[in-house]
């Protein structure tokens, strides 16, 4: 079974631009979560989608948004990029978001650099 | 609010030796799940081991085992017979079982494990 895939793997953008990152979960998984990982802040939760609905949201400004499609693929968008948005963005999928024991399966991440 | 603390930013161990990574958490919940995830350099994060709080027995997965002390709110990871492939960032995570929490994972800051050949 194919793992979680994220595209693109690397991205360089300029301040003020916007960016869209994509995540394809493992086949059959309906829950997708997004995280921002930086050396200083560690792993920070952005949001979670389940069956096309946002179920959880972290403490990030409105410039960060996401969506999930009917095939469970998810995108996240960051508008008006700031230097501090440079980070590794991780996507994780899971089978069912309401079983607390569930394991999250992570993608390789998208490395975003804002200059 | 729940928090997870990993007080060791970096640990090193000689190959074939045993190392213990620390994790403490704060919660008022009585039942919850705890996880250890591993993130090797430039590779995907994977689950190492999980523990449900109401189970007294410590979880084990091959060379990986935990020491779960519920009263002390401590959840340490022991890696026996360390191998070069164990070199990675290790993250401790907590998830409450209450629906109020929306089952969101709370993450520690991570511990970088270095294996010396």
């Amino acid at each position: 079974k194919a793992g979680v895939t994220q595209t693109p793997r690397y991205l360089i953008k300029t301040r003020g631009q916007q960016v869209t990152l994509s995540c394809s979960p493992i086949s059959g998984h309906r829950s997708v979560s997004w995280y921002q990982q930086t050396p200083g802040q560690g792993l920070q939760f952005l949001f979670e989608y389940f069956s096309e609905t946002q179920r959880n949201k972290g403490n990030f400004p409105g410039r960060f948004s996401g969506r999930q499609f009917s095939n469970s693929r998810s995108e996240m968008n960051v508008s008006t990029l700031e230097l501090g948005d440079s980070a590794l963005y991780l996507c994780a999928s899971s089978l069912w978001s309401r079983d607390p024991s569930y394991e999250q399966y992570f993608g390789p991440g998208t490395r975003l650099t804002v200059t | 609010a729940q928090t997870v603390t990993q007080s060791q930013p970096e640990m090193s161990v000689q190959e074939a030796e045993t190392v213990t990574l620390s994790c403490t958490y704060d919660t008022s919940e009585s039942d919850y799940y705890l996880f250890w995830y591993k993130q090797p350099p430039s590779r995907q994060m994977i689950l190492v081991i999980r523990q449900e709080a109401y189970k007294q027995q410590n979880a084990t997965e091959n060379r990986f085992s935990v020491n779960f002390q519920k009263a002390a709110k401590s959840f340490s990871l022991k890696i026996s017979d360390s191998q070069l492939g164990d070199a990675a960032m290790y993250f401790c995570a907590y998830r409450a079982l209450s629906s109020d929490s929306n089952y969101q994972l709370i993450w520690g800051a991570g511990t970088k494990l270095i294996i010396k050949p």
Side-chain angles (χ1 to χ4, degrees):
Chain A
K1 185 183 275 191
V4 178
T5 58
Q6 292 186 245
T7 56
R9 292 292 310 278
Y10 302 91
L11 205 49
I12 299 175
K13 289 286 189 179
T14 305
R15 267 184 308 174
Q17 289 186 314
Q18 76 164 17
V19 67
T20 299
L21 312 181
S22 180
C23 171
S24 292
I26 290 172
S27 177
H29 285 192
R30 295 164 64 191
S31 173
V32 173
S33 297
W34 288 90
Y35 295 90
Q36 182 194 66
Q37 186 176 22
T38 59
Q41 299 295 321
L43 207 64
Q44 292 190 285
F45 172 75
L46 280 155
F47 25 66
E48 178 192 9
Y49 286 87
F50 180 76
S51 293
E52 302 178 65
T53 302
Q54 188 180 90
R55 295 301 180 114
N56 271 324
K57 190 176 190 305
N59 189 26
F60 276 80
R63 300 185 296 107
F64 291 81
S65 62
R67 59 178 176 169
Q68 186 180 35
F69 301 95
S70 58
N71 62 357
S72 294
R73 188 177 71 86
S74 178
E75 289 181 347
M76 67 162 281
N77 183 276
V78 188
S79 62
T80 320
L81 283 165
E82 300 177 0
L83 294 178
D85 297 333
S86 295
L88 180 67
Y89 288 87
L90 295 173
C91 165
S93 77
S94 59
L95 194 60
W96 178 250
S97 75
R98 289 298 172 254
D99 172 6
S101 72
Y102 69 86
E103 173 183 355
Q104 289 195 326
Y105 294 81
F106 285 80
T110 294
R111 173 75 61 184
L112 171 65
T113 302
V114 182
T115 62
Chain B
Q2 296 97 347
T3 57
V4 176
T5 302
Q6 292 180 251
S7 59
Q8 306 152 318
E10 186 174 295
M11 291 280 286
S12 63
V13 63
Q14 207 71 34
E15 194 177 1
E17 298 293 309
T18 295
V19 64
T20 298
L21 308 184
S22 300
C23 172
T24 58
Y25 56 95
D26 186 27
T27 184
S28 58
E29 302 283 335
S30 58
D31 203 6
Y32 42 85
Y33 274 91
L34 295 162
F35 304 82
W36 278 99
Y37 278 85
K38 168 186 177 182
Q39 186 180 35
S42 303
R43 293 184 62 187
Q44 283 158 255
M45 181 126 47
I46 58 172
L47 178 67
V48 175
I49 201 164
R50 88 188 92 192
Q51 171 88 41
E52 185 166 3
Y54 85 86
K55 290 185 177 178
Q56 297 295 324
Q57 189 173 4
N58 289 326
T60 62
E61 288 287 341
N62 301 314
R63 297 181 296 106
F64 298 86
S65 61
V66 298
N67 183 5
F68 173 50
Q69 302 288 327
K70 190 173 183 179
K73 295 180 183 174
S74 170
F75 182 60
S76 59
L77 175 70
K78 186 172 85 170
I79 305 174
S80 305
D81 184 26
S82 298
Q83 300 175 0
L84 294 178
D86 295 333
M89 282 291 290
Y90 286 82
F91 293 92
C92 178
Y94 161 99
R95 181 187 287 130
L97 267 61
S98 68
S99 58
D100 289 349
S101 71
N102 278 321
Y103 305 116
Q104 182 178 325
L105 271 173
I106 310 297
W107 295 84
T111 296
K112 181 179 182 180
L113 179 63
I114 297 167
I115 310 294
K116 298 176 182 176

